[in-house]
Amino acid sequence: MDQVSDATAQPSGRRPAAEFADTPWLDPAARPFIDVRGVTKKFGDFVAVDDVDLQIYRGELFCLLGASGCGKSTLLRMLAGFEAATGGQILIDGTDMAGIAPYERPVNMMFQSYALFPHMTVESNVAFGLKQERVPRGEIRDRVAEALQLVQLSAFAKRKPHQLSGGQRQRVALARSLVKRPKVLLLDEPLGALDKKLREQTQFELMNIQDEVGITFVVVTHDQEEAMTLSTRIAVMNQGRISQVGTPSEIYEFPGNRFVADFIGSINLLEGRVAYETDDFVAVLCPELESELRIDHGPSVQEGQKVWVAIRPEKIAIRPDSGGALPAGNAVRGVVEGLGYLGSETIYRVRLDGNGDGGAAGGRMIEATAPNLTRSARRAVDWDDPVVLTWDSAAGVVLTS
Amino acid sequence: MRRRSTFLLTAMCFGFAFLYVPILSLIVYSFNESRLVTVWGGFSTRWYGELLRDEQVLEAALLSLQIGVVTATAAVLLGTLAGLLLARFGRFRGRLLFSGMVSAPLVMPEVITGLSLLLLFVSAEQLIGWPSGRGMDTITIAHITFCMAYVAVIVQSRLSSLDESMEEAAMDLGARPAKVFLVITLPIIAPALISGWLLAFTLSLDDLVIASFVSGPGSSTLPMVIFSKVRLGVSPDINALATIIILIVTVFVIIAGVLMSRQEKARARDAQRALQTQD
Ligand SMILES: Nc1ncnc2c1ncn2[C@@H]1O[C@H](COP(=O)(O)OP(=O)(O)O)[C@@H](O)[C@H]1O
Ligand SMILES: [Mg+2]
């Protein structure tokens, strides 16, 4: 037992402890495989990436999610070495990447435009990276064949890129960047150029391939569904900053701030002030609602503090208003003003009754969705019906920023 | 509608006649048996034979070809570097000045280019003793300066329509910048370079004004010989010579045109594909 050397020279290839095999970021002993420390990138006066800290672990499929222009690609290009950071530090597998050229980094990138070499066949495209490493010919042949097999393109080896469909080109680009077995694969909107059906299918292929090769993937996307489907963890970016990092369900169920809550899926955001706290819940008074909001404990708050309560539409139950008194909290009356039938579920847009004045002036709009459990043609709730909306105290999240 | 198309047709006929009747008559008369240029004396190729025995013409033709080849090659090398600098190195200091200076020879009157180069050569000879006298060297240098500008413009426009991420991808896969240029950029822009070479070659072969300024005794290019001969009266062998030159230039222009249009088509196809894959 050589404990000292074990602790100091923690090998990066170390298998994570069994209990953290799928969640290495929870393992206190794990060392991040990619460590982005306070990285900033300025183009002139414009700050594209602003003081970003990010830890990505071995074997993750990590997504950078954000609206167009928020600096995702710039961050990825700094990992690949195409842009030099204005400030901060990037470590990959413990090595500081400052001053290391793209052709010397242990990472490969799959470009948004695929960037296939038009004058080379599929085979030569895939073999290009191996030739640069001076891998022996026979081995190149084997590895190229293997990579093409992986993306199911063996039959297209002799074609030129312009003789392929969009989806096939995407897979050539993937094979080309995987064949060198990089420590990290960076993918810039890998599915962005595909149509919806193909994209969904390819998402699962991508996950399977990542599982098979075991390489750490960092994926840039602006498509939240894609990020939710693919990733082990997501970093939501906003104007060059990281808003929140978490697993897809953390990001969805426990958004850390209003931006993330609003960006991922649809949500009802209600502004109010903390009225009082009990051992079980926080009560929030919201000027737009009659009843008070009761939310299970989240972050610690003070009485009178301004907060936002975020409630997902699918967590709100809707039923026809049969009169009678409402429960003490988490219940409101309203009228259905909009209704969208989506097949699997129906979206209701409900105008709340105004503050006790009968609702003529109209309160705010709340969105609720209900799964269509039966195939009945008649809906229980229809246009212009008075309804009652209720939700559980576990449904809402209190946001302070 | 009908009237307009008749008008257009007539205009087009006149236009083409204006352009090509002189050339056609030149070609026809080059096969004239008679010594008198304007009197048809039956078909013959004797003037082509005579041309081949004319030392002065042959020498001039050889000189012109040599200058053309050297000029075109050097212009492609230098022009590519200039085009690369303009298209790939972003906004460096003095970029505007540089790009202006690269394209200036395109619009500068030839007389002025020729005169200024002559002055340069004369004063350079006085200062550093080179070039001693004027001849093939000075003509070649003069031709390179203005041909380079054409190549630079062609290369720059090709490079700026080239997806830069292709070069980045090659670098990402482990190729160093020089290698990237050789195995990715160069093969892709090769058609532009070939058409640039052909263009430079024909421009050099064609040039009379600049060559006249900077040539010396015993170094007359083909256009200069033709010009001096014609001043003594048009002779049938000149017709034959002109026909050959027309043939060569036509072939070159057609090759360059085909290359460029093919490239243009490929580019349009790429652009369309990019659009298709976008949505
Ligand atoms: N080379 C550059 N020069 C100047 N501005 C740039 C450059 N690259 C990106 N930007 C700017 O940085 C911002 C972030 O760009 P990018 O990282 O590509 O966004 P995205 O999240 O859509 O990938 C954009 O506003 C873009 O205009
Ligand atoms: Mg981008």
Side-chain angles (χ1 to χ4, degrees):
Chain A
M1 278 272 168
D2 192 354
Q3 287 214 333
V4 177
S5 74
D6 201 15
T8 48
Q10 188 187 87
S12 59
R14 185 185 73 92
R15 287 253 146 233
E19 58 179 312
F20 298 119
D22 292 329
T23 54
W25 53 91
L26 296 179
D27 181 357
R31 191 185 65 175
F33 196 56
I34 303 174
D35 199 352
V36 177
R37 297 181 183 165
V39 164
T40 298
K41 175 71 192 180
K42 292 183 187 167
F43 294 109
D45 285 339
F46 178 76
V47 185
V49 172
D50 192 0
D51 194 18
V52 163
D53 282 293
L54 209 54
Q55 280 75 41
I56 301 173
Y57 294 86
R58 180 178 281 271
E60 273 203 85
L61 204 166
F62 194 92
C63 270
L64 291 171
L65 174 66
S68 179
C70 70
K72 312 178 294 286
S73 295
T74 307
L75 184 54
L76 204 68
R77 290 169 59 80
M78 284 193 282
L79 292 176
F82 296 122
E83 310 276 1
T86 316
Q89 202 182 20
I90 295 176
L91 289 92
I92 296 179
D93 200 6
T95 313
D96 189 347
M97 287 289 126
I100 297 187
Y103 46 84
E104 284 167 339
R105 294 196 180 199
V107 304
N108 280 131
M109 179 148 164
M110 188 184 144
F111 288 79
Q112 190 167 6
S113 60
Y114 307 149
L116 300 179
F117 308 134
H119 57 299
M120 295 184 190
T121 60
V122 166
E123 210 171 33
S124 321
N125 263 283
V126 178
F128 186 87
L130 296 175
K131 279 192 190 141
Q132 307 312 311
E133 274 183 4
R134 304 191 189 289
V135 174
R137 252 207 216 147
E139 193 188 334
I140 291 185
R141 199 175 341 107
D142 295 345
R143 279 169 70 176
V144 168
E146 190 188 332
L148 288 178
Q149 180 99 44
L150 186 69
V151 298
Q152 299 161 19
L153 278 180
S154 305
F156 299 88
K158 301 286 181 216
R159 293 218 191 162
K160 290 274 184 71
H162 66 88
Q163 295 166 312
L164 299 177
S165 74
Q168 289 165 341
R169 262 180 264 152
Q170 187 261 352
R171 284 182 284 159
V172 176
L174 184 62
R176 187 179 69 177
S177 48
L178 274 175
V179 77
K180 288 190 74 174
R181 299 179 192 143
K183 289 181 176 172
V184 179
L185 184 63
L186 309 170
L187 303 97
D188 194 352
E189 311 253 358
L191 312 176
L194 306 180
D195 57 52
K196 191 169 161 53
K197 194 98 185 170
L198 192 56
R199 195 159 62 211
E200 281 167 7
Q201 182 188 333
T202 315
Q203 279 170 11
F204 288 100
E205 271 177 31
L206 202 59
M207 287 159 75
N208 287 339
I209 287 174
Q210 197 257 351
D211 204 40
E212 215 164 302
V213 296
I215 292 172
T216 308
F217 277 27
V218 181
V219 180
V220 156
T221 179
H222 66 267
D223 182 338
Q224 42 153 314
E225 271 179 43
E226 189 173 301
M228 306 278 281
T229 315
L230 285 176
S231 33
T232 52
R233 286 191 304 152
I234 298 174
V236 182
M237 283 187 77
N238 180 28
Q239 294 181 350
R241 293 174 158 275
I242 303 270
S243 281
Q244 191 179 357
V245 180
T247 63
S249 65
E250 278 168 5
I251 297 271
Y252 187 80
E253 305 290 0
F254 305 100
N257 52 54
R258 278 181 297 151
F259 175 80
V260 175
D262 207 30
F263 187 76
I264 310 283
S266 48
I267 203 154
N268 298 295
L269 269 178
L270 303 161
E271 191 180 325
R273 285 190 186 279
V274 178
Y276 59 92
E277 246 179 302
T278 71
D279 288 343
D280 295 331
F281 60 85
V282 182
V284 176
L285 268 181
C286 184
E288 293 165 318
L289 301 186
E290 267 178 274
S291 82
E292 67 184 25
L293 292 162
R294 293 181 178 176
I295 304 104
D296 284 357
H297 265 292
S300 63
V301 287
Q302 278 141 29
E303 243 170 66
Q305 189 184 346
K306 181 171 163 183
V307 293
W308 291 265
V309 177
I311 309 167
R312 297 274 177 205
E314 73 274 10
K315 299 196 168 49
I316 299 179
I318 185 166
R319 61 177 160 85
D321 188 1
S322 48
L326 288 177
N330 295 347
V332 288
R333 286 200 157 89
V335 174
V336 176
E337 268 199 10
L339 188 153
Y341 175 72
L342 297 186
S344 61
E345 59 183 21
T346 303
I347 300 180
Y348 299 95
R349 291 172 64 78
V350 176
R351 174 81 66 193
L352 297 191
D353 292 349
N355 225 345
D357 56 10
R364 64 160 286 156
M365 203 67 103
I366 293 271
E367 214 168 83
T369 58
N372 296 324
L373 299 174
T374 61
R375 227 171 40 179
S376 75
R378 253 190 59 80
R379 284 186 276 263
V381 174
D382 216 329
W383 292 86
D384 297 328
D385 281 356
V387 291
V388 172
L389 302 176
T390 55
W391 57 91
D392 196 75
S393 61
V397 179
V398 176
L399 304 174
T400 53
S401 59
Chain B
M1 204 53 210
R2 166 122 194 92
R3 277 184 54 159
R4 190 166 141 204
S5 68
T6 333
F7 170 75
L8 279 180
L9 211 62
T10 326
M12 197 179 75
C13 286
F14 270 106
F16 275 117
F18 194 68
L19 279 174
Y20 289 107
V21 165
I23 293 176
L24 269 178
S25 62
L26 186 143
I27 293 173
V28 169
Y29 277 111
S30 74
F31 295 103
N32 189 0
E33 168 70 41
S34 162
R35 176 165 289 280
L36 296 167
V37 173
T38 48
V39 179
W40 184 251
F43 180 85
S44 143
T45 52
R46 73 179 260 214
W47 301 114
Y48 287 88
E50 209 132 292
L51 201 62
L52 288 180
R53 285 187 291 279
D54 189 332
E55 285 283 315
Q56 195 196 1
V57 167
L58 287 183
E59 237 168 63
L62 192 65
L63 181 71
S64 273
L65 287 180
Q66 280 175 334
I67 292 176
V69 169
V70 175
T71 296
T73 309
V76 164
L77 287 177
L78 294 174
T80 304
L81 289 181
L84 206 61
L85 193 63
L86 285 174
R88 280 291 181 267
F89 285 77
R91 260 176 269 149
F92 54 90
R93 237 140 67 105
R95 184 183 190 283
L96 194 66
L97 184 71
F98 182 74
S99 76
M101 277 167 57
V102 164
S103 48
L106 301 180
V107 292
M108 195 75 80
E110 285 186 316
V111 177
I112 293 180
T113 309
L115 184 63
S116 56
L117 281 166
L118 174 63
L119 286 175
L120 171 77
F121 291 140
V122 170
S123 48
E125 187 178 4
Q126 280 169 358
L127 283 175
I128 58 170
W130 183 92
S132 55
R134 285 170 296 286
M136 182 177 161
D137 291 350
T138 49
I139 301 175
T140 309
I141 293 171
H143 281 185
I144 291 171
T145 55
F146 81 91
C147 289
M148 191 188 100
Y150 287 89
V151 178
V153 169
I154 293 177
V155 170
Q156 187 201 351
S157 84
R158 178 64 190 114
L159 279 177
S160 56
S161 68
L162 186 76
D163 183 5
E164 210 171 327
S165 61
M166 225 134 48
E167 290 160 344
E168 286 177 344
M171 205 185 282
D172 185 63
L173 292 167
R176 280 153 196 283
K179 181 101 189 253
V180 172
F181 180 74
L182 282 179
V183 298
I184 303 295
T185 318
L186 210 53
I188 295 176
I189 65 169
L193 298 189
I194 295 173
S195 56
W197 194 94
L198 294 172
L199 186 66
F201 182 79
T202 41
L203 284 171
S204 163
L205 204 61
D206 236 17
D207 169 67
L208 172 65
V209 178
I210 294 175
S212 307
F213 272 99
V214 296
S215 74
S219 62
S220 295
T221 62
L222 202 53
M224 288 165 69
V225 168
I226 295 174
F227 192 66
S228 64
K229 276 186 173 243
V230 168
R231 280 204 300 195
L232 305 173
V234 181
S235 60
D237 56 336
I238 290 294
N239 285 345
L241 180 58
T243 304
I244 293 174
I245 293 176
I246 288 171
L247 195 74
I248 293 175
V249 171
T250 310
V251 168
F252 272 49
V253 168
I254 287 176
I255 294 177
V258 166
L259 282 174
M260 283 219 242
S261 81
R262 221 193 263 168
Q263 205 182 324
E264 200 58 51
K265 260 184 225 152
R267 209 177 306 162
R269 206 176 47 210
D270 286 348
Q272 185 151 21
R273 193 170 314 124
L275 278 183
Q276 277 170 357
T277 48
Q278 210 115 85
D279 45 24

